[in-house]
Every structure is written in C-alpha cells, then in structure tokens.
Amino acid sequence: MHNRYGKLASWVYDLDKPVGRSFGDVEYYLQRLAGCDGPVLEPAVGNGRILVPLLEAGLAVEGFDASEEMLFYCRQVCGARHLPANLTRQTFNTFSYDKRFAAIVVPAGSFQLVTEVGTARAVIARFRDHLQPGGRLIVDLDPAGAFVGPAMSVRSWETADGALLTLTDQRVETDHVAQVTLSHLRYELWREGRLVDTELDLFRLRWWGVTEFGLALEAAGFTDVTVSGNYAFGRAPRDGDDIITFEARWPG
C-alpha cells in the first residue's frame, strides 16, 4: 500500500513534527486566516500540527486523514488541550461534507501525495465544490528542486521509554515524465539493541510546475490566484525557495 502512514510511520511523524513545531507555516496560516468568519477544513490533517494552533486561535477548524493512526495523535492532543476534535477518516479522492467551508488549507505539501494528474484535478474540483462563494483554497507545494536531493538518508529518534525508532528513506525511482518519485521508507523499532517491529511504506510524491498548478486551479474555476515563496505572501517564488504556496478564491 502506498503512502500508508501506519503505526511506526505515524509515531515517527509525531516525534519529528509535533504540535508546536513550525516551519514558518503555522504563523503564515494564522495570518492568512485571521478574521475568517466561517468553518475551515484541513485535509490530510495528520497529527494536528497545524490544526491545533488554528483551533487555539479561535478558528472553527475540522479535518480528515486517511490514516487512523495519525488521527489518534490528533485526537489525543485535542483532548489534552480541551479542544474540539471534529475529525474523520476520509481520503482526498472521496471526502464529503454536507456543508461548505470558508477556507480549505492543505499545508506541508500533502497534496503531492495525489500522484495521478487526473485524480489531482478531480480533488481540486472537490475542494471547489466544498467552498462557500468567495471561499479560499490555500495549498503548499514542495518545489521540484526538493525531489533531486540525496537518494538515501537514515534518521533516528529516541522514544520516551528509551527505545529507538529509525527511518531509512531510499528513493528507488524517479519518473521525470509523470513527475513522480517512489521511495521505500523502512521504519524500525529497536529495544535494547533488538529489532522488535518494522514497517515498509512505498511512498509516492508528485512535483508540480508553478505555472502548471496555477493553470490547474484556473481550469477548475478558481480566480485571484496568488503564488508566494517561503511564506512571504505575494512575493513571487524564487529558485531555492523551500516551499511554494498557492492561494485562490472560488467566486461561486
């Protein structure tokens, strides 16, 4: 199964990117959503790293994720902080709500988990259909340069009970025509020098050209498309930027 975020993967994600850790995105989304007077949806909400600060700022945010393991962490932190946990297990392809949102936000490149172009366009249309007239879609994308780094890396994290979690990330395929990479992510849990659990995720991601994604938004009917580099709203992306953010409005 591709992009599964199982037990060990979700544990590693929560250790590496806990609620409270920002890459400039938490502050950016708080700024862009300031004064938003309607409900906000975060697809691929993960462990709540973005959702929780938005809730604490008084925004009415709910989210969904395909991984029940990731939702466990999100529910846990919401409960500990006495925040509403309006969370469901859904996917990009099939999510559905009986209401429309004032904003939909997809931080951290999560949209790039959708690797087939036709499916991605259908997901954009689904976003559109869940927005109120005048509602905004805000999407982060990793630039193409992020997909040409080292082909293999190994990282580790110590757990609260003294165990060791390791992640070996090996890129095994790059399709330059489809703009898709395939990586093998091997998660391992070690206790007292013994391997006690392991997971393998086949992880696919797609990169987009800046113009390409802007055109996809416009083809879906979005207007007022603003493209920003490194969380500086309105500043055109530059070569070497770590993140590119698209903001567009659905006129309704």
Side-chain angles (χ1 to χ4, degrees), residues 6-250:
K7 177 184 175 182
L8 296 186
S10 300
W11 193 358
V12 163
Y13 189 98
D14 193 60
L15 288 172
D16 188 54
K17 301 177 182 68
V19 171
R21 183 173 183 185
S22 176
F23 303 94
D25 48 2
V26 172
E27 296 82 0
Y28 183 83
Y29 279 90
L30 285 170
Q31 180 188 54
R32 296 307 306 154
L33 295 172
C36 183
D37 59 0
V40 177
L41 176 65
E42 185 187 352
V45 69
N47 66 340
R49 186 181 66 85
I50 298 288
L51 176 134
V52 168
L54 297 183
L55 286 172
E56 291 180 329
L59 292 161
V61 193
E62 52 194 276
F64 69 81
D65 202 283
S67 168
E68 189 60 47
E69 291 85 352
M70 291 291 273
L71 289 171
F72 168 80
Y73 287 102
C74 193
R75 292 189 181 103
Q76 191 175 52
V77 72
C78 284
R81 302 190 186 196
H82 307 289
L83 297 169
N86 295 316
L87 304 167
T88 55
R89 185 178 183 184
Q90 300 192 70
T91 68
F92 277 120
N93 298 17
T94 60
F95 78 89
S96 180
Y97 291 85
D98 59 3
K99 63 181 176 184
R100 294 192 174 193
F101 297 87
I104 297 175
V105 299
V106 193
S110 297
F111 183 77
Q112 290 165 282
L113 295 167
V114 184
T115 56
E116 201 281 320
V117 175
T119 303
R121 291 181 179 274
V123 172
I124 292 171
R126 189 173 288 270
F127 290 157
R128 175 200 65 204
D129 294 343
H130 281 80
L131 281 170
Q132 300 170 357
R136 289 178 292 158
L137 173 65
I138 310 176
V139 179
D140 285 348
L141 296 181
D142 293 318
F147 294 79
V148 295
M152 184 173 177
S153 66
V154 180
R155 302 177 65 197
S156 63
W157 297 261
E158 187 173 344
T159 67
D161 61 356
L164 185 71
L165 276 165
T166 63
L167 166 60
T168 303
D169 179 348
Q170 183 173 10
R171 189 170 63 250
V172 297
E173 181 181 310
T174 301
D175 187 331
H176 291 93
V177 174
Q179 299 169 210
V180 173
T181 61
L182 169 63
S183 297
H184 289 178
L185 305 185
R186 188 173 73 248
Y187 299 90
E188 296 178 331
L189 175 63
W190 299 81
R191 295 188 186 277
E192 299 179 352
R194 298 174 63 88
L195 179 64
V196 296
D197 201 0
T198 185
E199 288 177 359
L200 177 67
D201 275 0
L202 306 182
F203 201 74
R204 292 187 183 273
L205 290 171
R206 185 183 196 277
W207 72 84
W208 290 77
V210 174
T211 301
E212 177 190 22
F213 194 74
L215 290 172
L217 292 173
E218 291 176 355
F222 285 95
T223 61
D224 303 325
V225 178
T226 301
V227 190
S228 307
N230 275 5
Y231 299 123
F233 181 73
R235 196 269 278 163
R238 303 168 185 161
D239 188 34
D241 280 350
D242 295 319
I243 201 77
I244 299 171
T245 305
F246 294 77
E247 181 169 328
R249 191 171 300 276
W250 166 235

